[in-house]
Amino acid sequence: QEEDHLKFGNGNISLSSSSACSSLDYSSFSFSEVDPPSLGSVSPLGESERLISTTRRGRDSGNHLISAAKTDGRVTLVIPWLVDANDRIILYGNGDNCAQFSCQGEQEKYIRRWLAEDAGMPFEAMELEILFYPAKYHKFASSIFALNDICSLISEKDADVCILEEPEHLNWYRSPGSPSWTNKFHHVVGVIHTNYKAYVRSHAPAGFLAAPLTAGVNCMVVQANCHRVMKLSGVLQEFHPGNEVVENVHGIRETFLLEGQRRRSSKPTGIFKVYFIGKLLWAKGFDILLELEEYFRQQTGSYFDIDVFGTGPDEVEIKRAFEDSAKRENRMLDNLSIRSRRPPLPVRFMGMKDHSFLAGDEYSIFVNPSVTEVLCTATAEAVAMGKHVIIPYHPSNSFFHQFENCLFYNDKKSFMIQLQKALSCSPPNISNESLKILSWEAATTRCIYASVISKRDDAKNKRLERTKERHNIRKAISGLFSNNMESGTISIASFGSMEGNRCEAV
């Protein structure tokens, strides 16, 4: 290692997840669509790698950073096994098209088959190591939690570098007396891509009280279990001051990149259909979409057509709101002056479909009004496919400002202007440089560099920690001695040097 970088040890990596990885067709799962990133003489991960993650379902998040392995290295994906068959039915369904697993071997076989056949990575499908930990699905939190200490399942010889996806989620429930991840591994990197604080504030009972408590717990567990934290966007709270960085370390499947190349070389068709794809949840911005539709009608005399792909818990209610004007007005945030009954919106609900099936020229405009995302994978996929992408100015969308086919708006009027622009012309061709930024190869390189803590930064962080400790000690002692007493007032004006727990009052 170069002198300016910390040495991580022998280089094994673990990727741990609360995603059961059953339905991978929606996922951006790709652990080695890429060649090992060229880092010159510095390779922070050493000669072999091993990774760890936390999403609830692979197909929902597209957040598996298994792409850091070199050909001579070793990668272990650590994922939950739902021990209760009823939990597996709840999550994976019970229909003909649903994945059914009666044992861990069947689930592992499913993952390896998907990698080899659907993802086109037969070598990686053979080389990937998969480790299951027993877990249970908790309906009240819509999340999976481990039933025992995950660290104890990983051998000491493999405990070198660890990437925790959603480290706060993984560590909400820990076995009493179990060691922290930082005690088990030489270097632990946490990748945070879910805004739990916002979800709790919006959906939990007494969310305005529960949200700050959730944020505080998240800070404690992340700081106790990570050396380095990577946040996908600046919309997330502060977790680990001095040791966190905002960086998009997720890539997208090669399928979407190839579609961008195809569209660039094909002739414009003049077809400008609008669509949205994602979970049918009000939190995904359907309230906002209703308002945008209404404003567009007020200004132009008609609604705009849009096809919606996806399913979700709020599907029935959302469909009714778009079809029934009375329910629609009840869901709108603005108090409309005209409350007469209006016809159904020209919105078609198309059911679940993989985003890659929307490649081609039929759909050229992707609209995503959501402001609850951290960084939306569907938006990145639409950008890569060379479509017009209409999204709001928001910290979660900052990464997309660099792409020429993104159209941003900050209010209803600017949305209408951007949509009219997209409906009148073909999207600009996306460059090879832009496609490379969206690839897993570039995302993996960003991940590796963002994971490194230089010795200079490490020394700076330790100085800041010592300063903070001294400040806390001063504050605590001044509180003890600044009480009014019957015999007079005792106070300490200032403090001089401190070493450890020793303070010298001046």
Side-chain angles (χ1 to χ4, degrees), residues 93 100 427 500:
Q100 298 294 316

Side-chain angles (χ1 to χ4, degrees), residues 37 39 230 245 247-252 399 402-403 434 436-452:
L39 301 176
M230 289 184 283
V245 62
E247 188 67 83
N248 176 19
V249 295
H250 285 177
I252 58 174
F399 176 76
Q402 60 190 306
F403 301 106
S434 294
K436 186 174 182 179
I437 291 171
L438 294 165
S439 70
W440 268 107
E441 181 177 4
T444 302
T445 301
R446 293 193 297 267
C447 177
I448 291 175
Y449 278 111
S451 298
V452 173

